[in-house]
Amino acid sequence: MYVIVDIETTGGNLNNGKITEIAIYRHDGNKVIDEFVSLVNPDSYIPPFISSLTGITNEMVESAPPFYQVAKDIVEICKDAVFVAHNAGFDYNFIKAEFKSLGFDFSMPTVCTVKLSRKLLPGHASYSLGKLCDALGIANGARHRAAGDALATVELFELLLSKNNGLINPEDPYTEFSADGLHPQLSIAIIKELPNETGVYYIHDENGDLVYIGKSKKIRNRIITHLGNPKTKKGLEMKQKAASISCELTGSELIALLKESQEIKEEKPRYNRAQRRSRNQVGLYHYRDRKGYLRLILKPNSGVEIPATTFESLKEGRDQLFKWIEEYELCQQLCGLYDGNNGCFQYQLKTCRGACVGEELDEAYNLRVNQLLTKLSYGYNNVVIMDKGRSNDEIGIVIIENGRYLGWGYIYEDTVIESPKEFKDHIKLYNDNRDTRVIINQYLRQKKHKKLIPY
């Protein structure tokens, strides 16, 4: 969804200029479906040379509504849309400044038809709206008035859309979308129908085999990026193989990340080469020995015990464990990296505090081991992470229990939960591994979740 916008102002300087007229046309990619046009009282003087250019006089705006009275209408017509304008920075920044003066953060993705025209319609002597419209045969009977210029921009934008196969990715609007190389079974119409919401998407070849799994907060935009104009050998090959696309909405970005990670490991799609290998071959485990010391050990994952963290290989695990031993002043022998009966090598160098020979008490040593284990956990022993659902009346949930990731699911807003443990009845169980720990910890650090319920 797009809104094509044009404004008139008291001057071109953002610091002292004010809006005198605004026109907004809401566009669904095919046609205009709504509009808002209004003069605006700028509460400031309109210079004569501006009036001679626009035809808007001080008398005309005297009885017009001030910006704060039309602000709600602007927000409503612009909701969930892409801001489109000719020289978009001018119009967008003026409107943003007006909202800022009201204490409201006006923020939208933008597309500038000047930049897009230079990309898709090269060779014109001028890309000013008037001269470009003249060259393209676009009529404008009310130049330098908001509605006239906005409607001319609507026609220009529709031309640019058609030149770009009807697809523009607001995240990368000036990259051309080429239909060349698309699989015959995958039409532009199918791509346009994809939801621009958060979830996991699946690219299949003509035999129905899964060749790629991805996650995005805006699925359609991501597919346009994948298939629009790839430059790499892998990208070109995947574009040719992509015969169908499906997706599952998750609402929650965290759930989408966890779902993508799990399914790549399970399905091992051809083009997820960097991610498809299971990354939890070796685990770091801990136990308490007969003397009361917490010991760490690296061993292959059995799938029965849950490790503190995982590694792709024993070598990677040993290399990382040596670093943690130095950071937390742990004992190589009690971490399974040194064999001997008379203390570890580090003890002989006087860099180990002597837990391996009983010189350091188990309580003091175990405190530092637990600091490392806490770092490797999620920061909570038991917690429910509450996040967005797939609809307004739904909540996404991710559960950590006993310091391990259990799984994710959904509940309704009005679901009665008497004890946090009852959340487990609403999730599907998944494996805890290093990737899930990285995903969840990063998400929690960025505070993207809605709410945490420790228990």
Side-chain angles (χ1 to χ4, degrees), residues 63-74:
S63 59
F67 187 85
Y68 73 85
Q69 289 185 2
V70 300
K72 182 180 179 182
D73 295 317
I74 294 172

Side-chain angles (χ1 to χ4, degrees), residues 259-270:
K259 182 177 176 65
E260 175 200 36
S261 177
Q262 179 72 25
E263 291 180 346
I264 288 174
K265 290 180 175 62
E266 293 173 350
E267 302 293 339
K268 298 178 173 59
R270 176 178 181 179

